[in-house]
Amino acid sequence: DAGVIQSPRHEVTEMGQEVTLRCKPISGHDYLFWYRQTMMRGLELLIYFNNNVPIDDSGMPEDRFSAKMPNASFSTLKIQPSEPRDSAVYFCASSSQTLGNTIYFGEGSWLTVV
Amino acid sequence: AQSVSQHNHHVILSEAASLELGCNYSYGGTVNLFWYVQYPGQHLQLLLKYFSGDPLVKGIKGFEAEFIKSKFSFNLRKPSVQWSDTAEYFCALAPGNAGNMLTFGGGTRLMVKP
């Protein structure tokens, strides 16, 4: 199994630009999560989907952040417009309720907004 | 709401020393507990998990953790650490009826000196 695949691995962008992070969950998993990791705040759950439907987006910091899951094998996290305080590592993760609920993480997208 | 506390933010040990990382949680119901490890520059990987049964859980790489319900604790242990164990360790909790909804502790950075 290829695991959770994220792209891009690293991105440097200028303040005000739109950023789109992509995720391909493990095939067959019905849950998908977006986490953000910073030194100051640690790991935070931003949003999660079940069967492609957003269930809880209470962790999304503000309206500049949006996430979609158009099908079972693809999700995006978009930041528009980006700000320097959005600089962080964004992890996508997936799990299966029928396969033990263990959450598997992708390798992360390292975002720097200058 | 649930919470997870890891009181040791930084731990420095010499090789072959024994390790114990503290994890305490707050939640009124049944819990699923996890330890994840994040090696420098990498994603989170599952070390071990507790769902039910034997409260002493053995994981990969010689790690183990003990669930003590009366103390709301799930401490991670390893009898003899190696330089390669240098990483950040995260304790996490999921409510028993929502095994996918992880709440992470703040993490403990372990440095093992050769």
Side-chain angles (χ1 to χ4, degrees):
Chain A
D1 197 318
V4 177
I5 299 173
Q6 292 187 245
S7 64
R9 289 295 314 280
H10 296 87
E11 178 149 351
V12 180
T13 190
E14 290 185 344
M15 181 174 62
Q17 297 297 307
E18 178 181 291
V19 173
T20 300
L21 308 179
R22 299 173 178 80
C23 176
K24 176 177 167 42
I26 292 173
S27 177
H29 282 192
D30 51 354
Y31 282 83
L32 183 139
F33 307 84
W34 282 101
Y35 285 88
R36 178 172 68 175
Q37 184 178 35
T38 62
M39 289 291 293
M40 292 298 294
R41 301 171 71 94
L43 271 162
E44 303 172 278
L45 176 65
L46 300 178
I47 185 172
Y48 80 97
F49 296 82
N50 178 218
N51 292 321
N52 313 339
V53 176
I55 302 300
D56 186 346
D57 65 354
S58 59
M60 296 286 261
E62 46 197 277
D63 291 345
R64 297 184 297 106
F65 286 70
S66 62
K68 294 182 180 179
M69 192 166 185
N71 57 63
S73 60
F74 184 66
S75 176
T76 59
L77 178 68
K78 186 175 292 187
I79 309 172
Q80 168 62 20
S82 58
E83 297 182 2
R85 59 193 170 118
D86 301 330
S87 298
V89 184
Y90 292 82
F91 288 102
C92 179
S94 71
S95 70
S96 166
Q97 191 160 12
T98 58
L99 295 175
N101 279 338
T102 297
I103 296 180
Y104 295 88
F105 285 79
E107 296 194 342
S109 292
W110 298 64
L111 173 66
T112 302
V113 183
V114 298
Chain B
Q2 62 267 26
S3 65
V4 179
S5 297
Q6 293 179 244
H7 302 294
N8 307 108
H9 299 295
H10 293 89
V11 173
I12 302 174
L13 294 174
S14 298
E15 275 194 315
S18 63
L19 170 72
E20 181 161 2
L21 302 183
C23 172
N24 288 91
Y25 67 90
S26 173
Y27 184 70
T30 304
V31 294
N32 301 318
L33 295 161
F34 307 79
W35 276 97
Y36 280 84
V37 61
Q38 186 178 28
Y39 297 103
Q42 296 189 24
H43 62 293
L44 280 82
Q45 302 171 47
L46 183 67
L47 268 181
L48 48 80
K49 61 184 178 183
Y50 169 80
F51 277 21
S52 63
D54 189 344
L56 184 61
V57 180
K58 295 194 182 297
I60 61 172
K61 305 186 180 186
F63 287 91
E64 65 178 30
E66 185 174 12
F67 171 51
I68 303 180
K69 188 175 181 180
S70 61
K71 295 185 178 181
F72 297 90
S73 69
F74 190 56
N75 292 355
L76 181 71
R77 300 194 292 252
K78 185 171 183 178
S80 176
V81 294
Q82 300 172 316
W83 175 79
S84 58
D85 294 324
T86 294
E88 189 161 15
Y89 293 81
F90 293 90
C91 182
L93 170 155
N97 62 351
N100 294 283
M101 287 300 301
L102 287 181
T103 298
F104 283 90
T108 298
R109 288 183 180 270
L110 171 66
M111 178 182 292
V112 180
K113 299 185 294 183

